[in-house]
Amino acid sequence: MDFEFPEEIVSFREKVREFAEREFTPELARKFDREEKYPDELKDRVIREKLVDPSDPWKTLVAIEELCRHDPGLGISATVPFFGEEVLLLFGSDEQKKKYLEKVNNGEAMMGLAVTEPGGGSDVAGIKTNAKDMGDHYLVNGSKMFITNGGIADYLVMLVRTSEPDEKRHHGLSTFLVETGWEGFKANKLVGKLGVRATNTAELQITNMKVPKENLIGEEGKGFYYIMTFFNISRVFVAAQGLGIAQGILDRSVRFVNEMSHEDEGYNREQIQFHLADIATRVEAARNLTYKAASFLFQFKPDPMITSMAKAYASEAAVFASEKAMEITGLFGLTSDLERYFRDAKITEIWEGTSEVERLIISRMLRKAQAGEQ
Amino acid sequence: MVTEEHEILRSTVREYVQKTLEPGALDIERDGLGEEIRKSVSAQGFLGARISSDLGGSDLDEAGYLILLDEIARASPSVSVDIMLLNSFFYPLASGSDEGRDAVKRVLSEGKGATVVLNTILEGYRNEGELMDGSSKITGVRDNVLNRNAAMSILDAGNGSLVLVDDASVFSKKDYSLGFRGLGMAKMEMRGTEFRTVAGKGAEHALDRAMNESDPAVSAIALGIISGCLQKGIDYSKVRKTFGQPLSAYQPVAFTLSSLKAEEELLRRTLYSGDLGEKEKLMLKISSLDLAKRASKYALQVHGGYGYFEDFGVEKFYRDSTALATLFGRSVRDMERLSHHIYGEKAGFL
């Protein structure tokens, strides 16, 4: 067993770190957080410098971790333009990939994934947005909620119901590639988020939107499986977000304690030292789980149980670190960059499957494995 | 002990909160606690709840004061902390001098806010230079001061005395703070600013004493936060369906919310039991602050994506519970105090 990355990834991480240290200034992070504005130029620079390369998943994972370490809001914003493209990569036709992915990968266009609806988050099979087969096209009606990039994406992978469910609720769902410029598509930006305020979040209204037949991704009725496959990928990347956030909090907390310990002996006492040790231990555990989940996934043998463990653990490590950091830094923390990390960390326990959903998956897989052995 | 009169007061405050504060709670978070709200709180006699009537206050007893803070914090922790800053900090520190008492009168009659700069006795405070105490003017900086719109401030001048600064312009532009956005935190910059001394030597001890004596008030606000967020969580879990069933049908949701509610009720009964000693008050504060953080985090989680948006009024409790613990519950100092009570001697000091 080797816990070291190959030299190529080590030097790539260095490159990302240098970029983040140079570009992710506290002033910039604060500005986009307060204004709830997406950092377009920063995203363009990340793509121009090839810091996020969808064709290389290890590099993407390391970039997400390092960028979130330096600032979660900017880090997630800069790495999210490709969000959802894996569905197209895995299940799309060659024509679809050529038409859409080239533009997304070179930064000309942005993507997003539209699954969640106002009445259902965790219950993906319960979605109500529907598509009627009109012969040469589908007619789509419905609404979507909390859609990342919803107000700025050029293309969205959208999950819709194309037929009534039979005995299984998740049957009859399909995925479409939707262009946001089409008639009948409307996005309203949602404001007032607790954190990750540099990312764009929107609710979508879809009214009699015509979707050409050639924009059906894969087979009709298989959408639920495609989205679940996607979540098995995206959850590893959310684990990397949590890991990066927790590491960034640890960096700042250790720095603060070292600086303060010169003025106040209290910072050398066990209460503070143990907080640091507890955060650091969770960071390392989250790192090992995240890399293990990634290793399985990137070798095309994903393990949903390990993925869910990584996603739940790393996101909870980030929230734990954010809370402990507030205890360590006291008054300073309330107005420092750490207050932003505190607000940003919480979303990782919610999006791409809540911690509760991850626990359901873990226990289901455990029982399945045990039943299979008998 | 809570009497029938206290229950009448609770109903009055609750009605005011529901009719007046709750509808504007989101605006308080977004725009700050405006003069209009403060005047409205003052007109009800809530602003000077614990202040003696000869200074224009309502002279409530402790149970009445705690009920007030508890009920108001359920809708707006910022408003509740505003009242506590005046009644549990500014008033006791100011009332020892004629200048101080005049200041309290003015704050009440004009419906203004007041603050006490607690930084020097809080953890994580980075001193940016001592204040210089001239004969009547003061120069220096105090960072991260809560209640940036305060008309009057009391602070440790750095020479052992407590001084009153009657000048709202000393606050710089708003700092973006994690909690109590209705009050805001800001840097206080004094450049030859006039002051009046309200207490002689021993400023740090006076601040420390005010902090310790505020334990029940802090508990009441923490319990208000707990009640506010758990009620939202319970209400939401009854109506929000997933996989065809309300969230309340699922064990993790129902059991967790029920356990948190049970802890809340036990703490609230203790708070209003009426015969608490210093040790019990401290224990109650430590437990209430801890529960406020856990309850608000879980209430947000139950709401899922909706909880992450300010419109649902849950995320503010998550931020404010941490801010309350940081500003009024000193994690090391309070544990040292508690250990001293438990051991009967100094403990945990190495």
Side-chain angles (χ1 to χ4, degrees):
Chain A
M1 188 172 288
D2 185 359
F3 283 95
E4 299 299 317
F5 274 115
E7 182 48 41
E8 186 195 357
I9 300 291
V10 173
S11 57
F12 175 75
R13 186 190 289 275
E14 271 306 309
K15 183 180 162 187
V16 178
R17 189 174 300 165
E18 281 168 20
F19 176 89
E21 282 169 359
R22 188 177 69 241
E23 303 286 344
F24 285 18
T25 61
E27 294 73 27
L28 195 77
R30 253 173 253 145
K31 173 184 158 65
F32 285 101
D33 176 71
R34 288 177 198 186
E35 294 175 2
E36 293 192 76
K37 202 175 152 197
Y38 183 80
D40 272 309
E41 285 180 19
L42 191 68
K43 179 260 298 182
D44 291 341
R45 282 205 292 281
V46 164
I47 294 174
R48 215 165 39 237
E49 297 198 24
K50 297 195 185 313
L51 298 181
V52 180
D53 178 359
S55 68
D56 189 328
W58 273 115
K59 284 187 177 171
T60 300
L61 185 110
V62 164
I64 290 172
E65 181 191 336
E66 277 303 317
L67 294 176
C68 287
R69 177 182 183 173
H70 286 83
D71 184 73
L74 295 179
I76 292 170
S77 300
T79 52
V80 86
F82 314 101
F83 187 54
E85 80 162 33
E86 290 88 345
V87 179
L88 213 51
L89 268 171
L90 291 171
F91 307 108
S93 66
D94 289 343
E95 291 75 24
Q96 287 170 341
K97 289 176 197 171
K98 187 169 170 44
K99 184 175 178 185
Y100 294 111
L101 287 189
E102 277 181 14
K103 284 184 185 168
V104 173
N105 290 345
N106 68 21
E108 277 179 65
M110 274 181 88
M111 274 203 69
L113 182 87
V115 173
T116 303
E117 296 191 351
S122 300
D123 185 8
V124 174
I127 67 157
K128 292 188 170 60
T129 297
N130 67 85
K132 269 190 193 163
D133 190 339
M134 307 298 281
D136 63 337
H137 68 271
Y138 292 95
L139 199 63
V140 180
N141 282 284
S143 55
K144 296 286 177 183
M145 196 62 170
F146 307 135
I147 304 306
T148 302
N149 294 347
I152 53 175
D154 300 280
Y155 317 128
L156 293 170
V157 170
M158 187 177 288
L159 186 69
V160 300
R161 182 161 287 289
T162 44
S163 63
E164 288 306 308
D166 50 25
E167 76 283 1
K168 298 212 166 154
R169 293 168 68 239
H170 61 275
H171 287 177
L173 299 174
S174 304
T175 42
F176 291 155
L177 193 291
V178 166
E179 295 183 22
T180 57
W182 286 343
E183 203 173 318
F185 179 93
K186 192 178 170 203
N188 299 313
K189 183 183 172 186
L190 298 171
V191 295
K193 290 197 293 266
L194 171 65
V196 289
R197 289 158 63 95
T199 62
N200 178 283
T201 311
E203 61 177 331
L204 313 179
Q205 289 296 330
I206 301 116
T207 312
N208 292 328
M209 181 175 70
K210 286 181 183 175
V211 177
K213 279 279 170 93
E214 62 265 28
N215 279 51
L216 171 71
I217 300 171
E219 290 179 48
E220 193 176 296
K222 294 278 177 67
F224 182 82
Y225 300 101
Y226 300 161
I227 295 300
M228 289 303 121
T229 304
F230 171 77
F231 282 153
N232 261 325
I233 300 168
S234 64
R235 281 172 185 159
V236 174
F237 292 120
V238 173
Q241 292 170 1
L243 169 60
I245 294 170
Q247 180 67 61
I249 292 168
L250 180 64
D251 297 340
R252 282 162 176 75
S253 301
V254 173
R255 198 179 307 139
F256 177 83
V257 170
N258 280 342
E259 285 171 13
M260 290 296 279
S261 63
H262 298 300
E263 298 168 25
D264 184 344
E265 186 51 33
Y267 288 89
N268 291 320
R269 294 192 186 141
E270 292 90 345
Q271 176 90 342
I272 299 290
Q273 306 306 311
F274 284 14
H275 286 334
L276 291 180
D278 287 343
I279 299 173
T281 304
R282 279 169 173 77
V283 168
E284 276 312 302
R287 177 167 287 123
N288 286 337
L289 259 179
T290 302
Y291 291 175
K292 184 171 181 176
S295 176
F296 284 138
L297 176 67
F298 300 159
Q299 293 177 68
F300 300 103
K301 44 179 187 180
D303 183 329
M305 185 177 75
I306 300 294
T307 297
S308 288
M309 285 177 173
K311 196 273 178 186
Y313 190 85
S315 58
E316 289 176 7
V319 172
F320 174 86
S322 74
E323 292 168 348
K324 286 292 163 199
M326 284 296 151
E327 288 184 37
I328 294 168
T329 58
L331 189 63
F332 169 80
L334 288 182
T335 55
S336 75
D337 291 340
L338 280 165
E339 73 86 26
R340 207 171 52 252
Y341 278 76
F342 180 92
R343 293 184 285 108
D344 292 342
K346 191 73 190 78
I347 194 63
T348 60
E349 289 185 340
I350 298 172
W351 63 16
E352 302 298 292
T354 62
S355 294
E356 290 76 11
V357 164
E358 304 308 332
R359 283 175 170 80
L360 284 175
I361 295 170
I362 293 164
S363 56
R364 194 182 302 146
M365 301 307 286
L366 279 172
R367 295 184 64 188
K368 245 188 185 178
Q370 204 269 345
E373 283 168 11
Q374 286 177 342
Chain B
M1 283 298 267
V2 177
T3 63
E4 204 175 315
E5 278 184 18
H6 291 128
E7 289 305 338
I8 294 168
L9 173 70
R10 188 188 294 280
S11 301
T12 308
V13 179
R14 192 167 288 181
E15 197 183 335
Y16 170 77
V17 167
Q18 283 167 354
K19 281 190 182 160
T20 310
L21 274 189
E22 186 71 54
L26 186 54
D27 291 335
I28 291 173
E29 292 298 301
R30 286 176 178 164
D31 309 325
L33 208 171
E35 209 165 290
E36 202 180 320
I37 290 283
R38 208 173 255 132
K39 277 184 177 164
S40 156
V41 173
S42 181
Q44 297 292 319
F46 299 157
L47 190 62
R50 198 84 172 104
I51 295 169
S52 66
S53 49
D54 61 310
L55 296 180
S58 302
D59 220 355
L60 286 181
D61 63 7
E62 185 170 54
Y65 176 51
L66 298 179
I67 286 169
L68 178 74
L69 295 176
D70 179 357
E71 291 293 328
I72 288 181
R74 295 171 194 216
S76 176
S78 286
V79 174
S80 205
V81 168
D82 188 52
I83 294 170
M84 180 178 72
L85 271 175
L86 176 60
N87 290 270
S88 293
F89 291 90
F90 192 90
Y91 170 55
L93 293 169
S95 57
S97 71
D98 291 342
E99 287 86 352
R101 283 190 292 277
D102 282 346
V104 172
K105 262 189 197 169
R106 274 191 52 208
V107 164
L108 280 181
S109 64
E110 293 169 19
K112 303 277 188 191
T115 195
V116 172
V117 183
L118 297 166
N119 303 15
T120 44
I121 57 161
L122 289 176
E123 289 143 5
Y125 170 59
R126 300 178 126 174
N127 204 341
E128 280 200 8
E130 291 302 319
L131 300 175
M132 286 186 290
D133 177 14
S135 54
S136 64
K137 292 189 175 173
I138 198 165
T139 296
V141 176
R142 284 289 177 258
D143 217 344
N144 296 333
V145 177
L146 184 63
N147 212 357
R148 62 175 290 271
N149 288 320
M152 295 196 199
S153 316
I154 288 179
L155 64 151
D156 176 351
N159 64 351
S161 61
L162 283 178
V163 299
L164 174 75
V165 171
D166 177 6
D167 183 355
S169 70
V170 293
F171 288 102
S172 65
K173 68 180 175 53
K174 182 179 169 185
D175 279 342
Y176 203 75
S177 66
L178 180 65
F180 304 129
R181 291 196 183 146
L183 301 177
M185 291 179 79
K187 188 178 279 189
M188 204 176 171
E189 291 181 81
M190 290 149 287
R191 305 269 174 256
T193 305
E194 286 193 17
F195 72 88
R196 281 166 287 166
T197 301
V198 289
K201 298 292 171 194
E204 192 165 333
H205 294 301
L207 288 173
D208 217 41
R209 195 167 51 249
M211 182 66 100
N212 295 347
E213 287 174 358
S214 74
D215 286 351
V218 175
S219 299
I221 294 174
L223 282 164
I225 287 175
I226 295 161
S227 187
C229 67
L230 287 183
Q231 199 53 54
K232 281 184 183 289
I234 290 167
D235 291 347
Y236 187 75
S237 71
K238 286 180 186 170
V239 297
R240 170 69 175 193
K241 285 189 174 179
T242 190
F243 301 104
Q245 294 289 336
L247 288 176
S248 59
Y250 294 93
Q251 287 183 347
V253 175
F255 292 2
T256 307
L257 285 172
S258 298
S259 300
L260 292 165
K261 197 71 194 162
E263 286 186 69
E264 179 208 335
E265 287 191 13
L266 287 172
L267 291 173
R268 180 167 280 108
R269 282 181 195 199
T270 309
L271 178 68
Y272 295 117
S273 64
D275 55 352
L276 301 181
E278 194 190 321
K279 181 174 85 174
E280 288 75 23
K281 287 176 181 173
L282 176 61
M283 284 161 47
L284 183 66
K285 182 177 85 168
I286 291 170
S287 300
S288 303
L289 289 173
D290 175 58
L291 181 60
K293 289 196 274 187
R294 286 187 287 122
S296 59
K297 181 163 74 166
Y298 193 70
L300 196 162
Q301 185 73 13
V302 166
H303 281 78
Y306 288 101
Y308 208 65
F309 282 83
E310 63 185 6
D311 311 60
F312 272 67
V314 172
E315 59 87 34
K316 73 166 181 250
F317 291 121
Y318 183 55
R319 292 184 286 101
D320 286 349
S321 59
T322 290
L324 185 71
T326 306
L327 288 161
F328 302 102
R330 300 171 291 175
S331 63
V332 175
R333 181 76 186 95
D334 282 350
M335 286 311 296
E336 284 174 349
R337 285 171 62 207
L338 181 62
S339 299
H340 195 280
H341 282 297
I342 300 294
Y343 281 85
E345 61 186 10
K346 198 176 169 189
F349 54 87
L350 276 183

